[in-house]
Amino acid sequence: MGEREIEGLVSVSRPVLVGRLLQLDAAGGVTSAHVRAGAQLAGVHPRTVWRWVEAARSEGRVERRRRSRFELSEQAWEVLAQAGGNVAVLYRHLEECGDGDAGVSLASVYRAVQRELASGRVLPDRAVVRRARVERETRQALSDLAVGGVGTGTPSACAAAGPASLTPAGREAAPAGDVPGVVLPVGAQAVGTASVRAVAEAVGQAMVAGGAACVFGDAGRGKTVALRMALSDPSAGWGVSWVRVPVRPSVSELRRAVFEALALPGRFPHRSAEADERIVGALGEARVLVVDEAQRLPVPCLEYLQSLWDHPQARMALVLCGAGSERAVARVPQLASRVCAWQEVGRLAGSEVAATVSAFHPLWAGVAGGEVAWIDQSCTHGVFRTWAALTTHLQNALLTGPDAAVDRALLRRLFRRLSPPV
């Protein structure tokens, strides 16, 4: 076993050869003649055989040490796509990051790219990437220019109206600029709906108990807006850190994201133990760690977050948010058992749609309740993100056509922009 006939000679595998040499060593010693003969049988240099024997003596290892192969992450592939396939640009990016990929050679990066391409992965053309970037910039510019007014629909009146002021309640409605990380149409307000109040209560329970909360619900229902509003003015002594989750992250990528979310000084450490020590030190002060898009996290990453929460020095409340985050957390029973508040964010109820959208943006303040109900039944279906998108399209329509009137013909045309063709 482990031997095979090659050209009339017996060729021996490394484990078999090293095992026999160790037997000879235990019986009385291995000589140079033994090593030379073994090297001839294995087809290697005698110095290689000596290294095999030394590894077996010191490490108990008779097999070849497996080397971890460099693999491209989704973030690295996106950088490569933005660079138009220029591997040298990706290599410089990895060096500047200073994370777990920092020590990789340029040749290793080239081989990893070739493996991805050979497996059928397609790298977008540079022109396609540039065109997509220009389209994103154009959409943002249109959003910045489109300002809605009350009752007139003319650009001058829109500009004069301006954004609504903060209400005395402070937390029932807030201008979009006062809710960090939330992009809403110009002049819009984040409205304190029943779901927003429920999320605030769930997060408050997690903070009081020092536990975890899971905020879930289908996409577009306002989970992030509700969390931003709930945590925009935390209790005294509490800090809030938002973790930006990459797509399908590794534990090292999540560790770096937590490090950056905590705004720790200095460069990200190369050694994971040092990075974790600094992260846990920062979590020694009362802090809410919010992980949005938590459904992207694989089980090892969720276990890593649990290990941070379980650390005896940590004083933190963990908030996991995202469409499908409840299913992701359920894959780790130890973490799921630590969730003290599960809060679903549902669709806007029919009874609260008219009042909510009227407070959301001045464009809807003058629209009759029956028309708002028709819009919700025909298009938006209680999804807050769809209402925000429709508001932006309506702003653009009124900006580009001063004589445009908000009627069902215009709205039906805009409805078609909000869903793919059937």
Side-chain angles (χ1 to χ4, degrees):
M1 183 175 182
E3 301 179 354
R4 56 188 184 277
E5 294 290 340
I6 299 182
E7 297 181 356
L9 295 176
V10 178
S11 180
V12 184
S13 64
R14 174 178 174 174
V16 173
L17 175 59
V18 174
R20 291 178 180 176
L21 290 175
L22 291 178
Q23 291 175 356
L24 291 173
D25 188 38
V30 175
T31 65
S32 298
H34 293 142
V35 172
R36 285 195 302 271
Q40 183 178 5
L41 292 174
V44 296
H45 196 277
R47 285 195 297 270
T48 301
V49 178
W50 281 119
R51 286 196 297 269
W52 290 354
V53 173
E54 181 60 28
R57 288 171 176 169
S58 59
E59 304 175 23
R61 176 174 55 84
V62 297
E63 296 283 356
R64 179 180 179 181
R65 182 185 287 111
R66 293 185 178 274
R67 297 183 179 180
S68 57
R69 191 173 67 174
F70 171 72
E71 300 287 350
L72 285 178
S73 64
E74 292 293 332
Q75 182 181 6
W77 188 259
E78 182 178 351
V79 171
L80 183 64
Q82 292 175 354
N86 191 326
V87 180
V89 174
L90 172 60
Y91 177 69
R92 288 194 295 270
H93 169 78
L94 295 176
E95 282 193 323
E96 293 170 359
C97 285
D99 56 8
D101 298 335
V104 68
S105 66
L106 178 59
S108 297
V109 178
Y110 268 109
R111 286 193 293 268
V113 172
Q114 291 298 328
R115 285 196 302 270
E116 294 286 350
L117 295 175
S119 65
R121 195 170 188 178
V122 178
L123 185 67
D125 183 77
R126 185 191 299 240
V128 175
V129 176
R130 185 185 300 113
R131 186 162 55 248
R133 184 174 65 251
V134 171
E135 289 177 355
R136 287 196 302 270
E137 294 173 351
T138 302
R139 285 196 299 269
Q140 184 61 48
L142 285 174
S143 177
D144 294 340
L145 289 173
V147 181
V150 182
T152 62
T154 62
S156 58
C158 293
S165 59
L166 186 65
T167 62
R171 291 295 153 236
E172 286 300 308
D178 289 353
V179 186
V182 176
V183 179
L184 295 177
V186 177
Q189 296 184 131
V191 184
T193 62
S195 294
V196 171
R197 291 188 289 271
V199 168
E201 181 181 352
V203 174
Q205 291 175 352
M207 294 170 66
V208 170
C214 181
V215 179
F216 60 97
D218 291 344
R221 296 189 179 181
K223 299 179 293 297
T224 302
V225 174
L227 270 177
R228 293 283 185 182
M229 293 181 68
L231 295 171
S232 59
D233 188 16
S235 303
W238 281 86
V240 180
S241 296
W242 289 75
V243 181
R244 298 182 62 183
V245 177
V247 177
R248 290 188 297 174
S250 62
V251 174
S252 62
E253 290 173 327
L254 178 61
R255 179 182 289 111
R256 184 183 184 90
V258 174
F259 185 92
E260 293 175 349
L262 294 173
L264 297 179
R267 291 175 60 87
F268 180 71
H270 291 286
R271 296 189 304 141
S272 59
E274 181 182 351
D276 286 341
E277 182 180 357
R278 295 182 60 183
I279 289 172
V280 171
L283 293 176
E285 303 176 357
R287 182 166 297 275
V288 181
L289 194 66
V290 184
V291 183
D292 205 356
E293 304 297 342
Q295 73 278 1
R296 297 177 177 176
L297 296 176
V299 169
C301 290
L302 292 169
E303 292 174 339
Y304 173 72
L305 291 175
Q306 179 191 330
S307 70
L308 294 179
W309 186 87
D310 286 340
H311 198 282
Q313 296 181 12
R315 296 179 56 210
M316 59 176 286
L318 178 63
V319 179
L320 302 168
C321 176
S325 58
E326 78 285 5
R327 295 189 295 272
V329 174
R331 294 199 297 266
V332 186
Q334 299 89 342
L335 178 59
S337 65
R338 290 163 169 78
V339 176
C340 63
W342 300 85
Q343 182 59 52
E344 181 177 9
V345 177
R347 299 174 185 267
L348 290 172
S351 57
E352 64 176 339
V353 169
T356 299
V357 299
S358 297
F360 170 65
H361 200 280
L363 272 178
W364 306 112
V367 179
E371 289 297 295
V372 171
W374 172 78
I375 295 171
D376 192 55
Q377 294 172 3
S378 304
C379 177
T380 55
H381 307 296
V383 179
F384 201 83
R385 183 176 296 166
T386 309
W387 273 107
L390 179 61
T391 303
T392 299
H393 285 303
L394 186 56
Q395 285 179 318
N396 293 337
L398 295 177
L399 178 70
T400 56
D403 298 330
V406 182
D407 53 22
R408 290 198 175 189
L410 173 62
L411 290 171
R412 286 193 180 95
R413 181 166 60 86
L414 298 179
F415 290 169
R416 292 195 291 270
R417 297 182 182 177
L418 299 176
S419 60
V422 180

